[in-house]
Amino acid sequence: MKNISLNCYFDSDLNDNFFKSDRIWMSSNSKSIYKDDKNKGFSYFGSVLKSENYNVHTQDFWKKNDHIDLQINFAYHQEIKCKKSYLLLPESKEIFNKNDLNKLKKKYTKIFCQYDEYIDNNKIFKLNYPFIIKKNFTENFTERSLLSCMISSNKSTKKKNKYDLYKKRFDLIKFAEKKYLDQFELYGIDWDLPFKKSGLFGRILNFKDKLFKKKNILNCYKGVIKNKSDILRKTKFVFCIENSNSEGYISDPIFDAFNNGCVPIYLGAKNVLDYIPKETFIDMRKFSDLDDLFKQINKMNSEIYTKFQNNIIEFLNSDKIIEFNEIGFTSRLLKHLIEDLS
């Protein structure tokens, strides 16, 4: 049996919570968010590894003198204490500046990430996040009373960069608040606070806003929700704006939309069409401005909407989805584990 230490960055993931159904997805100001899929992606990953005779636990499980065959650092670079090491990296250096792959690739046995520009299939390998993807809806066009929504968090990058899409979220909210308030609802963490700002000066302003408990009153903001499905299954369109437009970076919002039959309005990975069929979503890049976009989705009829839903179902049932689900994630990592620990 091989011993694997999965080194988490957040304390909430310790005690093997990383693999449990009640794992905290994110938190802010004492508010905790859990994934709709009950963390089944990493639960599946942990159970398969144990069935394959790998003894995997979070770092707090191991004693000082225990022999560790492989250290897996998750999400962020941490001190490496093992001869063999992996880095699983869902976030780039634009989000967390210590995650500079050009520097880190010398430190690790292998690195796994979504960012296509770094993939060399020698040291750095493509690996998407393990989403639980399955059809979870029956609601059609007429049964969805709300035109559009967005479910995201009020965040910003520490440093300004060319990939940053957080401002696009802010632009959408300000526009919809002013012109389409009855057709757009906003959910997520910290939208009752001023829009987060990037850069050093922006971080200072963010701290000042927090210190003086400054608030941002948005009529479209409806608060934090327990289950995304509760909103997505009553909504026709959901804005899925990634935090970055880096090639290959595709995160959970678009799959949450697919699962619930809500048509995504997507802005993110420049090469999204390499991974996801164009017939399954609305590409924000094709519209001259937000007003044009809202006018177009207001015109969409039931027949066209049903075609989108049928295309989504076809994609979810295809082999292409393995690229993004728990089976693809686990099988890819398991292949490398066999190579490196046998």
Side-chain angles (χ1 to χ4, degrees):
M1 178 174 284
K2 301 295 184 179
N3 292 334
I4 298 176
S5 176
L6 196 143
N7 287 26
C8 308
Y9 188 79
F10 298 107
D11 289 344
S12 59
D13 280 339
L14 298 176
N15 194 33
D16 282 352
N17 287 332
F18 183 87
F19 304 104
K20 297 177 182 177
S21 61
D22 58 350
R23 179 192 176 210
I24 296 174
W25 175 240
M26 62 176 67
S27 60
S28 177
N29 296 327
S30 74
K31 298 176 183 177
S32 295
I33 300 294
Y34 302 87
K35 292 197 71 176
D36 281 13
D37 66 11
K38 307 299 182 185
N39 198 40
K40 288 181 181 177
F42 287 114
S43 295
Y44 177 85
F45 170 64
S47 64
V48 170
L49 259 59
K50 289 178 181 178
S51 71
E52 295 290 333
N53 214 28
Y54 294 98
N55 188 25
V56 57
H57 295 280
T58 52
Q59 68 263 38
D60 55 305
F61 171 87
W62 303 103
K63 298 177 182 177
K64 184 176 181 180
N65 295 324
D66 286 341
H67 173 73
I68 306 298
D69 296 286
L70 176 71
Q71 175 181 334
I72 300 178
N73 286 342
F74 178 77
Y76 304 97
H77 169 62
Q78 301 169 62
E79 180 185 359
I80 299 172
K81 301 178 181 180
C82 188
K83 185 176 180 181
K84 293 183 178 180
S85 59
Y86 287 177
L87 175 62
L88 303 188
L89 196 64
E91 300 288 10
S92 71
K93 63 180 171 57
E94 283 74 35
I95 305 302
F96 189 72
N97 57 13
K98 290 185 179 180
N99 288 345
D100 188 332
L101 291 179
N102 289 322
K103 296 179 180 178
L104 293 178
K105 65 182 180 180
K106 297 178 182 179
K107 300 178 181 291
Y108 287 89
T109 306
K110 290 177 179 176
I111 295 175
F112 301 87
C113 72
Q114 293 179 267
Y115 302 92
D116 290 353
E117 66 177 297
Y118 295 103
I119 307 302
D120 59 17
N121 290 318
N122 178 41
K123 194 80 170 184
I124 304 178
F125 299 85
K126 179 77 175 184
L127 186 69
N128 293 304
Y129 209 82
F131 305 109
I132 300 297
I133 305 168
K134 60 181 179 180
K135 177 179 177 292
N136 187 36
F137 67 92
T138 57
E139 294 80 7
N140 59 28
F141 181 82
T142 56
E143 293 172 310
R144 296 171 182 266
S145 57
L146 177 63
L147 180 72
S148 69
C149 75
M150 182 167 69
I151 305 172
S152 62
S153 299
N154 181 7
K155 293 182 178 180
S156 66
T157 55
K158 290 184 177 181
K159 293 183 178 180
K160 294 181 179 181
N161 65 84
K162 63 180 180 179
Y163 303 104
D164 185 9
L165 291 180
Y166 284 122
K167 185 179 181 298
K168 296 294 184 181
R169 295 180 185 177
F170 304 154
D171 291 343
L172 167 65
I173 295 166
K174 287 185 286 187
F175 175 80
E177 176 83 0
K178 183 177 180 181
K179 194 164 184 180
Y180 289 93
L181 184 59
D182 60 333
Q183 298 182 359
F184 174 82
E185 292 183 357
L186 175 65
Y187 297 87
I189 289 178
D190 288 347
W191 291 113
D192 55 336
L193 303 175
F195 293 149
K196 297 293 179 67
K197 304 165 189 67
S198 299
L200 178 59
F201 183 65
R203 309 304 282 189
I204 295 173
L205 292 177
N206 292 339
F207 177 77
K208 182 180 177 182
D209 289 341
K210 185 176 181 180
L211 183 65
F212 290 99
K213 298 182 179 180
K214 189 174 181 181
K215 295 292 183 180
N216 187 23
I217 306 301
L218 292 169
N219 292 310
C220 65
Y221 180 49
K222 306 302 179 182
V224 178
I225 52 173
K226 185 176 181 180
N227 296 308
K228 294 180 182 179
S229 295
D230 294 340
I231 303 303
L232 294 177
R233 291 177 68 174
K234 72 171 188 179
T235 306
K236 291 182 174 71
F237 306 95
V238 57
F239 286 89
C240 303
I241 302 177
E242 305 279 14
N243 56 35
S244 166
N245 66 1
S246 299
E247 291 194 350
Y249 179 73
I250 302 172
S251 64
D252 54 310
I254 194 168
F255 299 109
D256 289 331
F258 288 159
N259 285 346
N260 292 284
C262 185
V263 175
I265 301 173
Y266 183 81
L267 182 64
K270 296 176 183 178
N271 63 340
V272 61
L273 296 179
D274 291 346
Y275 297 95
I276 297 178
K278 63 181 179 180
E279 298 83 8
T280 62
F281 68 96
I282 295 171
D283 193 335
M284 279 187 70
R285 297 173 297 183
K286 292 187 176 182
F287 297 88
S288 57
D289 54 36
L290 287 170
D291 195 43
D292 181 34
L293 193 160
F294 269 93
K295 287 177 180 177
Q296 291 301 315
I297 62 175
N298 267 290
K299 291 178 181 178
M300 188 177 293
N301 59 34
S302 177
E303 183 180 354
I304 296 175
Y305 192 87
T306 300
K307 286 182 179 179
F308 270 107
Q309 287 190 318
N310 289 337
N311 292 334
I312 288 170
I313 294 171
E314 183 178 349
F315 176 53
L316 297 188
N317 291 331
S318 73
D319 291 339
K320 293 180 181 179
I321 207 66
I322 296 175
E323 181 89 13
F324 299 98
N325 67 19
E326 77 281 12
I327 297 172
F329 175 89
T330 300
S331 62
R332 286 195 178 195
L333 265 183
L334 190 58
K335 178 183 175 182
H336 288 278
L337 290 173
I338 293 171
E339 289 178 359
D340 297 326
L341 296 181
S342 59

